[in-house]
């Protein structure tokens, strides 16, 4: 099979005036800035496609913010947005709360804070990385299949077919750490996964991961953007 790349795209800024950890809660939509970020990413991918990139498959988490981030790219590339449950935000005990130091000091939360390596307050990092990587491999195969159907000749570009999966910071970061063979526990403040950033997993002809790349096409829009993550 040809080399292929799967891009893990984090969604844009969310309208969250109360600053809560929104997790998997419904009705958390992109802010005006988040929609601008999504349009910027769509233009980024449109330009890449115009330059010869074969982006053949697009999927997003079922959550509103991911679907809304994917929509402009779908229009720009004339692709359908498939819904992929396996790349949804991580489960989190603190969902719906405003997580502050004073809140974390409340005794009722202490049992959830005993094991930050797992972590004890939410879905295990290992489980997140496993489900996302399963979706990545399926997207890789689907991108190859669609490229073969579109072009038939097997005359692929140098980087091969590409897929885009619109997901969330924590699952993307856990997947990247796992792919790079690094420990999955980490300081949430040090994740390299900004809003609408792209974590690209590049696979060789035999389906093995050969490298991980990271980019921020909407970096100019990041100053002043909200920093509250969807999950700890």
């Amino acid at each position: 099979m040809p080399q292929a790349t799967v891009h893990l795209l984090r969604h844009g800024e969310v309208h969250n005036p109360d600053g809560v950890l929104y997790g998997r809660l419904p009705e958390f939509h992109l802010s005006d800035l988040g929609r601008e970020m999504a349009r910027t990413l769509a233009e980024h991918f449109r330009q890449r496609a115009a330059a010869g990139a074969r982006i053949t498959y697009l999927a997003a988490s079922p959550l509103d913010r991911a679907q809304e981030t994917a929509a402009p790219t779908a229009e720009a590339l004339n692709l359908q947005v498939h819904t992929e449950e396996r790349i949804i935000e991580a489960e989190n005990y603190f969902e719906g709360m405003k997580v502050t130091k004073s809140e974390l000091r409340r005794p009722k939360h202490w049992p959830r804070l005993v094991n930050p390596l797992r972590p004890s307050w939410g879905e295990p990092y290992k489980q997140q990385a496993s489900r996302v990587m399963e979706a990545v491999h399926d997207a890789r195969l689907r991108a190859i299949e669609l490229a073969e159907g579109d072009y038939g000749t097997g005359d692929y570009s140098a980087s091969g077919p590409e897929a885009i999966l619109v997901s969330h910071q924590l699952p993307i970061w856990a997947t990247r750490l796992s792919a790079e063979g690094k420990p999955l526990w980490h300081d949430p403040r040090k994740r390299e996964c900004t809003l609408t950033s792209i974590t690209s997993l590049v696979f060789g002809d035999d389906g093995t991961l050969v490298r991980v790349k990271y980019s921020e096409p909407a970096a100019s829009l990041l100053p002043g953007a909200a920093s509250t993550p969807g999950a700890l």
Side-chain angles (χ1 to χ4, degrees):
M1 290 183 178
Q3 184 186 63
T5 300
V6 178
H7 305 289
L8 293 174
L9 168 61
R10 187 186 173 193
H11 61 79
E13 185 192 57
V14 174
H15 179 66
N16 181 20
D18 295 328
V20 302
L21 202 75
Y22 36 81
R24 296 182 177 181
L25 294 173
E27 299 302 325
F28 275 86
H29 301 274
L30 294 183
S31 64
D32 290 342
L33 177 59
R35 294 182 187 280
E36 185 177 356
M37 289 177 172
R39 291 191 294 268
T40 298
L41 265 293
E43 177 60 18
H44 166 77
F45 286 119
R46 188 198 66 76
Q47 290 181 9
R48 290 197 67 254
R54 293 184 174 177
I55 306 170
T56 59
Y57 183 74
L58 172 63
S61 154
L63 296 176
D64 294 323
R65 58 191 185 270
Q67 294 281 327
E68 291 167 1
T69 300
T73 295
E75 182 177 357
L77 300 181
N78 194 27
L79 292 175
Q80 175 185 352
V81 180
H82 299 270
T83 298
E84 174 54 79
E85 297 282 349
R86 291 173 293 183
I87 59 175
I88 197 171
E89 180 65 277
E91 294 179 340
N92 199 286
Y93 164 77
F94 293 104
E95 182 177 281
M97 301 183 197
K98 189 170 184 177
V99 182
T100 61
K101 290 182 179 179
S102 60
E103 182 66 32
L104 294 177
R105 291 192 190 103
R106 298 179 66 182
K108 71 174 185 177
H109 299 318
W110 293 353
R112 294 287 185 169
L113 302 174
V114 296
N115 185 3
L117 305 184
R118 185 178 182 268
S120 51
W121 56 79
E123 182 183 9
Y125 296 135
K126 185 176 181 179
Q127 182 174 309
Q128 295 177 49
S130 177
R131 62 176 169 82
V132 173
M133 191 56 79
E134 286 181 0
V136 164
H137 281 295
D138 285 350
R140 175 182 64 86
L141 293 173
R142 186 64 177 141
I144 293 171
E145 177 185 359
L146 289 168
E148 290 173 342
D150 286 346
Y151 299 98
T153 64
D155 180 21
Y156 297 97
S157 62
S159 60
E162 302 179 24
I164 302 169
L165 300 181
V166 186
S167 185
H168 308 269
Q169 186 190 65
L170 179 50
I172 293 174
W173 184 240
T175 302
R176 176 176 171 180
L177 291 176
S178 178
E180 294 178 336
K182 296 178 181 178
L184 301 188
W185 59 270
H186 61 279
D187 182 340
R189 297 168 298 181
K190 296 182 179 180
R191 296 171 188 158
E192 187 181 37
C193 189
T194 62
L195 294 164
T196 51
S197 62
I198 304 172
T199 300
S200 303
L201 306 180
V202 183
F203 295 90
D205 294 352
D206 60 355
T208 58
L209 182 68
V210 295
R211 64 183 178 277
V212 178
K213 301 188 294 183
Y214 177 78
S215 62
E216 297 177 352
S220 64
L221 298 176
L222 293 174
S227 59
T228 303
L232 292 177

